[in-house]
mmCIF file of all heavy atoms in Angstrom:
data_model
loop_
_atom_site.group_PDB
_atom_site.id
_atom_site.type_symbol
_atom_site.label_atom_id
_atom_site.label_comp_id
_atom_site.label_asym_id
_atom_site.label_seq_id
_atom_site.Cartn_x
_atom_site.Cartn_y
_atom_site.Cartn_z
ATOM 1 N N TRP K 1 113.350 96.213 111.870
ATOM 2 C CA TRP K 1 113.016 94.820 111.586
ATOM 3 C C TRP K 1 112.806 94.493 110.092
ATOM 4 O O TRP K 1 112.066 95.403 109.438
ATOM 5 C CB TRP K 1 111.784 94.285 112.344
ATOM 6 C CG TRP K 1 111.995 94.379 113.785
ATOM 7 C CD1 TRP K 1 111.653 95.487 114.593
ATOM 8 C CD2 TRP K 1 112.366 93.417 114.697
ATOM 9 N NE1 TRP K 1 111.982 95.204 115.940
ATOM 10 C CE2 TRP K 1 112.359 93.860 116.069
ATOM 11 C CE3 TRP K 1 112.785 92.026 114.476
ATOM 12 C CZ2 TRP K 1 112.675 93.144 117.079
ATOM 13 C CZ3 TRP K 1 113.137 91.313 115.599
ATOM 14 C CH2 TRP K 1 113.202 91.802 116.875
ATOM 15 N N TYR K 2 113.336 93.449 109.572
ATOM 16 C CA TYR K 2 113.018 92.945 108.244
ATOM 17 C C TYR K 2 112.413 91.581 108.518
ATOM 18 O O TYR K 2 112.455 91.027 109.508
ATOM 19 C CB TYR K 2 114.324 92.759 107.450
ATOM 20 C CG TYR K 2 114.810 94.009 106.739
ATOM 21 C CD1 TYR K 2 115.417 95.051 107.436
ATOM 22 C CD2 TYR K 2 114.684 94.211 105.305
ATOM 23 C CE1 TYR K 2 115.875 96.136 106.738
ATOM 24 C CE2 TYR K 2 115.173 95.251 104.670
ATOM 25 C CZ TYR K 2 115.826 96.218 105.441
ATOM 26 O OH TYR K 2 116.243 97.394 104.837
ATOM 27 N N ARG K 3 111.779 91.037 107.469
ATOM 28 C CA ARG K 3 111.278 89.784 107.501
ATOM 29 C C ARG K 3 111.490 89.081 106.113
ATOM 30 O O ARG K 3 111.488 89.728 105.108
ATOM 31 C CB ARG K 3 109.728 89.730 107.925
ATOM 32 C CG ARG K 3 108.845 90.221 106.977
ATOM 33 C CD ARG K 3 107.442 90.239 107.516
ATOM 34 N NE ARG K 3 106.426 90.749 106.545
ATOM 35 C CZ ARG K 3 105.202 91.020 106.827
ATOM 36 N NH1 ARG K 3 104.725 90.713 108.085
ATOM 37 N NH2 ARG K 3 104.338 91.492 105.937
ATOM 38 N N GLN K 4 111.555 87.735 106.200
ATOM 39 C CA GLN K 4 111.704 87.039 104.903
ATOM 40 C C GLN K 4 110.841 85.730 105.054
ATOM 41 O O GLN K 4 111.041 84.871 105.800
ATOM 42 C CB GLN K 4 113.139 86.671 104.730
ATOM 43 C CG GLN K 4 113.426 85.968 103.305
ATOM 44 C CD GLN K 4 114.838 85.939 102.907
ATOM 45 O OE1 GLN K 4 115.750 85.933 103.803
ATOM 46 N NE2 GLN K 4 115.066 85.846 101.600
ATOM 47 N N ALA K 5 109.863 85.637 104.154
ATOM 48 C CA ALA K 5 109.005 84.462 104.064
ATOM 49 C C ALA K 5 109.691 83.551 103.016
ATOM 50 O O ALA K 5 110.470 83.923 102.175
ATOM 51 C CB ALA K 5 107.665 84.831 103.579
ATOM 52 N N PRO K 6 109.265 82.233 103.070
ATOM 53 C CA PRO K 6 109.816 81.200 102.207
ATOM 54 C C PRO K 6 109.628 81.645 100.709
ATOM 55 O O PRO K 6 108.457 81.940 100.280
ATOM 56 C CB PRO K 6 109.052 79.963 102.531
ATOM 57 C CG PRO K 6 108.757 80.093 103.957
ATOM 58 C CD PRO K 6 108.429 81.605 104.028
ATOM 59 N N GLY K 7 110.638 81.611 99.840
ATOM 60 C CA GLY K 7 110.591 81.901 98.496
ATOM 61 C C GLY K 7 110.337 83.369 98.171
ATOM 62 O O GLY K 7 110.170 83.755 97.005
ATOM 63 N N LYS K 8 110.462 84.207 99.189
ATOM 64 C CA LYS K 8 110.358 85.703 98.986
ATOM 65 C C LYS K 8 111.566 86.427 99.442
ATOM 66 O O LYS K 8 112.343 85.959 100.083
ATOM 67 C CB LYS K 8 109.099 86.219 99.691
ATOM 68 C CG LYS K 8 107.808 85.632 99.228
ATOM 69 C CD LYS K 8 106.618 86.343 99.857
ATOM 70 C CE LYS K 8 105.278 85.880 99.344
ATOM 71 N NZ LYS K 8 104.146 86.672 99.926
ATOM 72 N N GLN K 9 111.667 87.708 98.834
ATOM 73 C CA GLN K 9 112.820 88.512 99.280
ATOM 74 C C GLN K 9 112.672 89.086 100.577
ATOM 75 O O GLN K 9 111.526 89.207 101.055
ATOM 76 C CB GLN K 9 112.996 89.670 98.263
ATOM 77 C CG GLN K 9 113.498 89.224 96.906
ATOM 78 C CD GLN K 9 113.794 90.394 95.997
ATOM 79 O OE1 GLN K 9 113.221 91.471 96.128
ATOM 80 N NE2 GLN K 9 114.811 90.221 95.084
ATOM 81 N N ARG K 10 113.711 89.361 101.233
ATOM 82 C CA ARG K 10 113.653 90.059 102.576
ATOM 83 C C ARG K 10 113.071 91.482 102.440
ATOM 84 O O ARG K 10 113.419 92.166 101.490
ATOM 85 C CB ARG K 10 115.064 90.224 103.199
ATOM 86 C CG ARG K 10 115.102 90.541 104.557
ATOM 87 C CD ARG K 10 116.470 90.569 105.154
ATOM 88 N NE ARG K 10 116.931 89.178 105.314
ATOM 89 C CZ ARG K 10 118.076 88.809 105.943
ATOM 90 N NH1 ARG K 10 118.698 89.722 106.688
ATOM 91 N NH2 ARG K 10 118.500 87.599 106.004
ATOM 92 N N GLU K 11 112.134 91.813 103.230
ATOM 93 C CA GLU K 11 111.474 93.126 103.193
ATOM 94 C C GLU K 11 111.513 93.813 104.518
ATOM 95 O O GLU K 11 111.510 93.244 105.549
ATOM 96 C CB GLU K 11 110.005 92.975 102.752
ATOM 97 C CG GLU K 11 109.102 92.228 103.698
ATOM 98 C CD GLU K 11 107.610 92.176 103.334
ATOM 99 O OE1 GLU K 11 107.243 92.871 102.389
ATOM 100 O OE2 GLU K 11 106.868 91.464 104.035
ATOM 101 N N LEU K 12 111.574 95.143 104.362
ATOM 102 C CA LEU K 12 111.578 95.950 105.544
ATOM 103 C C LEU K 12 110.178 95.905 106.236
ATOM 104 O O LEU K 12 109.175 96.281 105.496
ATOM 105 C CB LEU K 12 111.984 97.365 105.290
ATOM 106 C CG LEU K 12 111.972 98.381 106.411
ATOM 107 C CD1 LEU K 12 113.005 98.091 107.519
ATOM 108 C CD2 LEU K 12 112.225 99.829 105.942
ATOM 109 N N VAL K 13 110.136 95.739 107.530
ATOM 110 C CA VAL K 13 108.859 95.707 108.227
ATOM 111 C C VAL K 13 108.650 97.032 108.881
ATOM 112 O O VAL K 13 107.577 97.740 108.723
ATOM 113 C CB VAL K 13 108.791 94.524 109.205
ATOM 114 C CG1 VAL K 13 107.512 94.711 110.022
ATOM 115 C CG2 VAL K 13 108.971 93.322 108.560
ATOM 116 N N ALA K 14 109.667 97.588 109.671
ATOM 117 C CA ALA K 14 109.552 98.800 110.382
ATOM 118 C C ALA K 14 110.938 99.160 110.743
ATOM 119 O O ALA K 14 111.768 98.382 111.019
ATOM 120 C CB ALA K 14 108.661 98.626 111.620
ATOM 121 N N SER K 15 111.083 100.511 110.950
ATOM 122 C CA SER K 15 112.356 101.081 111.476
ATOM 123 C C SER K 15 112.025 102.242 112.383
ATOM 124 O O SER K 15 110.991 102.773 112.297
ATOM 125 C CB SER K 15 113.230 101.489 110.313
ATOM 126 O OG SER K 15 112.716 102.521 109.686
ATOM 127 N N ILE K 16 112.965 102.497 113.275
ATOM 128 C CA ILE K 16 112.830 103.631 114.223
ATOM 129 C C ILE K 16 114.228 104.243 114.369
ATOM 130 O O ILE K 16 115.175 103.635 114.608
ATOM 131 C CB ILE K 16 112.188 103.162 115.499
ATOM 132 C CG1 ILE K 16 111.941 104.288 116.395
ATOM 133 C CG2 ILE K 16 113.060 102.040 116.145
ATOM 134 C CD1 ILE K 16 110.997 103.938 117.666
ATOM 135 N N THR K 17 114.162 105.641 114.384
ATOM 136 C CA THR K 17 115.478 106.388 114.671
ATOM 137 C C THR K 17 115.662 106.526 116.074
ATOM 138 O O THR K 17 114.771 106.242 116.838
ATOM 139 C CB THR K 17 115.312 107.727 113.965
ATOM 140 O OG1 THR K 17 114.386 108.536 114.598
ATOM 141 C CG2 THR K 17 115.040 107.641 112.502
ATOM 142 N N GLU K 18 116.870 107.075 116.444
ATOM 143 C CA GLU K 18 117.090 107.242 117.839
ATOM 144 C C GLU K 18 116.161 108.356 118.433
ATOM 145 O O GLU K 18 115.856 108.237 119.625
ATOM 146 C CB GLU K 18 118.519 107.776 117.911
ATOM 147 C CG GLU K 18 119.142 107.782 119.358
ATOM 148 C CD GLU K 18 120.547 108.251 119.422
ATOM 149 O OE1 GLU K 18 121.115 108.588 118.356
ATOM 150 O OE2 GLU K 18 121.156 108.145 120.412
ATOM 151 N N GLY K 19 115.728 109.236 117.575
ATOM 152 C CA GLY K 19 114.763 110.291 118.016
ATOM 153 C C GLY K 19 113.265 109.814 118.050
ATOM 154 O O GLY K 19 112.480 110.620 118.496
ATOM 155 N N GLY K 20 112.973 108.565 117.570
ATOM 156 C CA GLY K 20 111.713 108.062 117.661
ATOM 157 C C GLY K 20 110.873 108.142 116.421
ATOM 158 O O GLY K 20 109.698 107.790 116.390
ATOM 159 N N SER K 21 111.401 108.544 115.309
ATOM 160 C CA SER K 21 110.667 108.635 114.105
ATOM 161 C C SER K 21 110.636 107.165 113.578
ATOM 162 O O SER K 21 111.604 106.435 113.635
ATOM 163 C CB SER K 21 111.482 109.481 113.032
ATOM 164 O OG SER K 21 111.422 110.851 113.489
ATOM 165 N N THR K 22 109.419 106.861 113.042
ATOM 166 C CA THR K 22 109.169 105.486 112.616
ATOM 167 C C THR K 22 108.742 105.438 111.208
ATOM 168 O O THR K 22 108.318 106.417 110.624
ATOM 169 C CB THR K 22 108.026 104.861 113.485
ATOM 170 O OG1 THR K 22 106.836 105.745 113.322
ATOM 171 C CG2 THR K 22 108.385 104.850 115.018
ATOM 172 N N ASN K 23 108.933 104.292 110.566
ATOM 173 C CA ASN K 23 108.636 103.995 109.262
ATOM 174 C C ASN K 23 108.064 102.541 109.174
ATOM 175 O O ASN K 23 108.741 101.599 109.887
ATOM 176 C CB ASN K 23 109.787 104.145 108.356
ATOM 177 C CG ASN K 23 109.432 103.814 106.915
ATOM 178 O OD1 ASN K 23 108.484 104.316 106.338
ATOM 179 N ND2 ASN K 23 110.240 103.072 106.235
ATOM 180 N N TYR K 24 107.003 102.336 108.479
ATOM 181 C CA TYR K 24 106.242 101.034 108.386
ATOM 182 C C TYR K 24 106.090 100.540 107.018
ATOM 183 O O TYR K 24 105.690 101.454 106.132
ATOM 184 C CB TYR K 24 104.985 100.924 109.207
ATOM 185 C CG TYR K 24 105.126 101.153 110.619
ATOM 186 C CD1 TYR K 24 104.931 102.430 111.195
ATOM 187 C CD2 TYR K 24 105.261 100.109 111.498
ATOM 188 C CE1 TYR K 24 105.015 102.682 112.554
ATOM 189 C CE2 TYR K 24 105.335 100.294 112.879
ATOM 190 C CZ TYR K 24 105.143 101.601 113.377
ATOM 191 O OH TYR K 24 105.285 101.816 114.786
ATOM 192 N N ALA K 25 106.139 99.268 106.801
ATOM 193 C CA ALA K 25 105.671 98.678 105.460
ATOM 194 C C ALA K 25 104.023 98.890 105.370
ATOM 195 O O ALA K 25 103.439 98.803 106.511
ATOM 196 C CB ALA K 25 105.954 97.213 105.325
ATOM 197 N N ASP K 26 103.641 99.155 104.305
ATOM 198 C CA ASP K 26 102.131 99.377 104.171
ATOM 199 C C ASP K 26 101.370 98.167 104.707
ATOM 200 O O ASP K 26 100.309 98.289 105.210
ATOM 201 C CB ASP K 26 101.778 99.595 102.695
ATOM 202 C CG ASP K 26 102.198 100.920 102.203
ATOM 203 O OD1 ASP K 26 102.435 101.762 103.045
ATOM 204 O OD2 ASP K 26 102.309 101.179 100.931
ATOM 205 N N SER K 27 101.933 96.922 104.498
ATOM 206 C CA SER K 27 101.196 95.835 104.861
ATOM 207 C C SER K 27 101.027 95.609 106.383
ATOM 208 O O SER K 27 100.209 94.771 106.813
ATOM 209 C CB SER K 27 101.981 94.518 104.305
ATOM 210 O OG SER K 27 103.280 94.429 104.815
ATOM 211 N N VAL K 28 101.797 96.411 107.145
ATOM 212 C CA VAL K 28 101.666 96.185 108.626
ATOM 213 C C VAL K 28 101.237 97.481 109.411
ATOM 214 O O VAL K 28 100.980 97.503 110.545
ATOM 215 C CB VAL K 28 103.088 95.727 109.297
ATOM 216 C CG1 VAL K 28 103.566 94.530 108.570
ATOM 217 C CG2 VAL K 28 104.036 96.873 109.266
ATOM 218 N N LYS K 29 100.995 98.529 108.632
ATOM 219 C CA LYS K 29 100.494 99.745 109.175
ATOM 220 C C LYS K 29 99.198 99.559 109.926
ATOM 221 O O LYS K 29 98.228 98.867 109.342
ATOM 222 C CB LYS K 29 100.354 100.795 108.100
ATOM 223 C CG LYS K 29 101.659 101.433 107.686
ATOM 224 C CD LYS K 29 101.434 102.545 106.623
ATOM 225 C CE LYS K 29 102.743 103.134 106.224
ATOM 226 N NZ LYS K 29 102.590 104.095 105.046
ATOM 227 N N GLY K 30 99.038 100.079 111.175
ATOM 228 C CA GLY K 30 97.870 99.942 112.009
ATOM 229 C C GLY K 30 97.764 98.592 112.789
ATOM 230 O O GLY K 30 96.930 98.516 113.601
ATOM 231 N N ARG K 31 98.720 97.671 112.560
ATOM 232 C CA ARG K 31 98.786 96.434 113.149
ATOM 233 C C ARG K 31 100.018 96.239 114.050
ATOM 234 O O ARG K 31 99.993 95.652 115.128
ATOM 235 C CB ARG K 31 98.566 95.270 112.242
ATOM 236 C CG ARG K 31 97.391 95.267 111.412
ATOM 237 C CD ARG K 31 97.172 94.006 110.576
ATOM 238 N NE ARG K 31 98.207 93.812 109.581
ATOM 239 C CZ ARG K 31 99.026 92.713 109.575
ATOM 240 N NH1 ARG K 31 98.915 91.790 110.502
ATOM 241 N NH2 ARG K 31 100.025 92.614 108.685
ATOM 242 N N PHE K 32 101.132 96.707 113.521
ATOM 243 C CA PHE K 32 102.482 96.589 114.237
ATOM 244 C C PHE K 32 102.918 97.946 114.740
ATOM 245 O O PHE K 32 102.613 98.936 114.142
ATOM 246 C CB PHE K 32 103.502 96.109 113.206
ATOM 247 C CG PHE K 32 103.359 94.648 112.700
ATOM 248 C CD1 PHE K 32 102.212 93.906 112.987
ATOM 249 C CD2 PHE K 32 104.382 94.007 112.019
ATOM 250 C CE1 PHE K 32 102.101 92.693 112.511
ATOM 251 C CE2 PHE K 32 104.220 92.741 111.580
ATOM 252 C CZ PHE K 32 103.063 92.042 111.772
ATOM 253 N N THR K 33 103.577 97.855 115.975
ATOM 254 C CA THR K 33 104.112 99.103 116.396
ATOM 255 C C THR K 33 105.534 98.877 116.894
ATOM 256 O O THR K 33 105.908 97.908 117.520
ATOM 257 C CB THR K 33 103.349 99.507 117.706
ATOM 258 O OG1 THR K 33 101.977 99.697 117.339
ATOM 259 C CG2 THR K 33 103.940 100.725 118.327
ATOM 260 N N ILE K 34 106.474 99.630 116.323
ATOM 261 C CA ILE K 34 107.922 99.572 116.716
ATOM 262 C C ILE K 34 108.193 100.638 117.773
ATOM 263 O O ILE K 34 107.654 101.765 117.698
ATOM 264 C CB ILE K 34 108.772 99.738 115.451
ATOM 265 C CG1 ILE K 34 110.252 99.375 115.857
ATOM 266 C CG2 ILE K 34 108.687 101.174 114.881
ATOM 267 C CD1 ILE K 34 111.095 99.370 114.554
ATOM 268 N N SER K 35 109.007 100.241 118.698
ATOM 269 C CA SER K 35 109.552 101.138 119.714
ATOM 270 C C SER K 35 110.934 100.766 120.103
ATOM 271 O O SER K 35 111.404 99.784 119.798
ATOM 272 C CB SER K 35 108.589 101.059 120.948
ATOM 273 O OG SER K 35 108.567 99.785 121.500
#
């Protein structure tokens, strides 16, 4: 998932590989969960 707020660039929120490895933006760590 990416997100884009008004007037801002699109930013990566979170990603997940087929094997389940995840990556999160610092701003959402601990609050968002990707699956």
Side-chain angles (χ1 to χ4, degrees):
W1 299 88
Y2 278 73
R3 67 185 180 186
Q4 188 165 21
K8 295 188 176 181
Q9 289 189 331
R10 191 175 292 193
E11 64 173 353
L12 177 67
V13 177
S15 64
I16 184 167
T17 68
E18 191 176 9
S21 296
T22 59
N23 180 51
Y24 295 94
D26 287 343
S27 58
V28 306
K29 283 181 181 176
R31 300 188 298 122
F32 291 11
T33 302
I34 190 169
S35 60

